[in-house]
Amino acid sequence: MIRIGVLISGSGTNLQAIIDACNSGYIDGKVVVVISNKEDAYGRVRARKAGIPEYYISHRGKSREEFEDELIEVLEKYEVDLVALAGFMRILSPHFVRRYYGRLMNIHPALLPAFPGINVQEKQWEYGVKIAGCTVHFVDEGTDTGPIIIQAAVPVYSDDTAEDVRLRILEQEHKIYPLAIKLFAEGRLTIEGRRVIIQGEKKKGGFLMNPSE
Ligand code: GRF
């Protein structure tokens, strides 16, 4: 059973998906601590409702390293095996990333390496992509550049609003983040350079084409 620390800044729907997947036994793990850098993040309420210790650590008025040292102190206290960023809206410096490399994951709402950065659901819609998606990756020292663990693709229809696209992506985020953590907990992920090798990978095949005819 792995010990998971989750970092959030917002509503925490991915956090909830991870908690639920641990509680159901899908993930052989437990969320042992949640840290938010935003005081009013609803994810904090989710953590409390689930009986998980949660901390609010503001980044304001601190150097990046000072802020990260406070995160590290809590993560070490709870002896986490994996740090999952779930809507955590701060860039982490090499100081933090080097310490947790290989056990630090992020979810990004686009098919990387397309659309790194923020507000990318809207950017995909504006760009006019016909297929959007999401990515779980290990975090490296770049922004949204780390080794990719899993991706899911969704169609974007002509009459979609940007909000429709956001919600369609989010639905898949709630599947792929628990799956990535499950694979990690089972010891099935190996990083080889940029590539993540997955032991016992299911090869389902198929493809997504949009429009489909
Ligand atoms: C998700 O779309 C995630 O991919 C992005 O921020 C959003 C967080 O949503 N990084 P939530 O807080 O998990 O509901």
Side-chain angles (χ1 to χ4, degrees), residues 150-198:
I150 177 167
Q151 296 185 299
V154 298
V156 179
Y157 302 120
S158 307
D159 58 357
D160 276 340
T161 62
E163 180 63 6
D164 293 331
V165 175
R166 189 185 74 81
L167 292 173
R168 200 169 297 134
I169 293 171
L170 191 62
E171 196 182 335
Q172 297 308 313
E173 291 183 40
H174 297 160
K175 293 183 193 152
I176 68 171
Y177 214 171
L179 176 53
I181 295 174
K182 173 188 169 70
L183 294 171
F184 178 89
E186 291 172 355
R188 292 167 59 190
L189 304 180
T190 312
I191 303 175
E192 285 183 9
R194 278 216 48 82
R195 296 160 51 83
V196 176
I197 309 302
I198 298 163

Side-chain angles (χ1 to χ4, degrees), residues 128-159:
V129 299
K130 294 298 182 197
I131 294 177
C134 47
T135 303
V136 180
H137 62 94
F138 285 114
V139 177
D140 68 6
E141 293 178 25
T143 303
D144 302 323
T145 54
I148 292 171
I149 302 164
I150 177 167
Q151 296 185 299
V154 298
V156 179
Y157 302 120
S158 307
D159 58 357

Side-chain angles (χ1 to χ4, degrees), residues 8-15 46 86-89 106-109 121 166 169-170 173-174:
I8 59 163
S9 302
S11 73
T13 62
N14 279 289
L15 164 67
R46 295 180 189 276
F88 183 67
M89 303 302 285
N106 182 43
I107 178 109
H108 182 77
Q121 299 96 328
R166 189 185 74 81
I169 293 171
L170 191 62
E173 291 183 40
H174 297 160

Side-chain angles (χ1 to χ4, degrees), residues 4-24:
I4 306 162
V6 183
L7 272 50
I8 59 163
S9 302
S11 73
T13 62
N14 279 289
L15 164 67
Q16 190 68 57
I18 295 165
I19 293 171
D20 293 347
C22 290
N23 287 344
S24 73

Side-chain angles (χ1 to χ4, degrees), residues 23-34:
N23 287 344
S24 73
Y26 178 72
I27 295 173
D28 185 18
K30 187 179 172 192
V31 179
V32 292
V33 67
V34 172

